[in-house]
Amino acid sequence: MKRLLIFLTALTLSSAMWSQEVLTVVYATSDDGFLNVRQQPSSKSRILTQLWMFSHGLGQGVDRGQKIGNWSKVSVRNITGWAYTKYLGYQNWYKGDGSPRLVATSEPTILYTDNYEDGSQHQVFSKVGKGTILGDTFSEDETYYILMTAHDNLYIKKTDAKIVK
């Protein structure tokens, strides 16, 4: 009986670790350069917004980790809906090789990006939940942890995340 309890405890802990959400940024890969985000996982459902291809080297939305058939739940500019998975591209900053990882500690944790619209330093990109793995490939400055891309970056306030070894 004791062995069974130890086994079940270990199984519960390992499955909780595997189910932890990882920040994944998404973008459209369709031939026309955009992908409709719909209210329900159906091509007949109402269109809420559109997900575009890379914007300055960074995806435009965040994968929410839920799948139904060929559809993925995504958030774009604070609108959450469903996009056809076949036309989604993915990027994240998590290799999972045992390096220290950056984890969101506030609910919600706000992700910022460079702001080209009004010249201020950053604008809100998206939000993720507490406990989300933000990545294990990042840099930092005095105020932010930084997830780097070829052109733009995502910034997370140091007060909203922690490094877990």
Side-chain angles (χ1 to χ4, degrees):
M1 183 68 171
K2 188 175 181 180
R3 286 185 191 173
L4 179 61
L5 285 174
I6 291 170
F7 173 75
L8 290 175
T9 302
L11 183 63
T12 302
L13 290 174
S14 66
S15 63
M17 186 173 166
W18 284 108
S19 65
Q20 191 170 14
E21 188 172 331
V22 174
L23 168 66
T24 303
V25 174
V26 292
Y27 53 92
T29 61
S30 58
D31 291 338
D32 53 9
F34 70 91
L35 180 59
N36 291 326
V37 176
R38 297 181 178 273
Q39 188 171 23
Q40 300 295 324
S42 165
S43 59
K44 295 179 181 174
S45 182
R46 184 169 72 92
I47 297 170
L48 301 174
T49 190
Q50 293 179 323
L51 178 67
W52 295 91
M53 294 179 104
F54 272 125
S55 174
H56 298 284
L58 183 65
Q60 186 194 22
V62 173
D63 180 55
R64 291 297 173 200
Q66 292 179 297
K67 308 274 189 251
I68 295 180
N70 295 323
W71 295 83
S72 297
K73 195 168 197 175
V74 300
S75 292
V76 181
R77 293 178 304 278
N78 293 319
I79 297 171
T80 300
W82 296 90
Y84 198 69
T85 305
K86 177 180 177 180
Y87 299 112
L88 281 177
Y90 301 87
Q91 80 182 84
N92 66 41
W93 295 263
Y94 184 63
K95 297 178 291 193
D97 63 0
S99 299
R101 33 187 213 285
L102 186 61
V103 178
T105 58
S106 36
E107 186 65 54
T109 294
I110 300 173
L111 309 173
Y112 300 92
T113 189
D114 298 305
N115 186 348
Y116 298 104
E117 293 175 14
D118 67 12
S120 61
Q121 186 177 8
H122 301 298
Q123 66 183 5
V124 174
F125 175 78
S126 190
K127 300 172 186 175
V128 297
K130 183 177 183 178
T132 301
I133 297 173
L134 302 169
D136 55 15
T137 307
F138 57 91
S139 62
E140 59 185 289
D141 64 18
E142 291 178 16
T143 309
Y144 295 96
Y145 293 110
I146 305 163
L147 305 176
M148 296 187 296
T149 71
H151 188 273
D152 285 335
N153 301 316
L154 288 180
Y155 302 89
I156 301 99
K157 289 182 181 176
K158 285 188 169 182
T159 56
D160 292 341
K162 68 179 177 181
I163 299 172
V164 178
K165 296 183 183 196

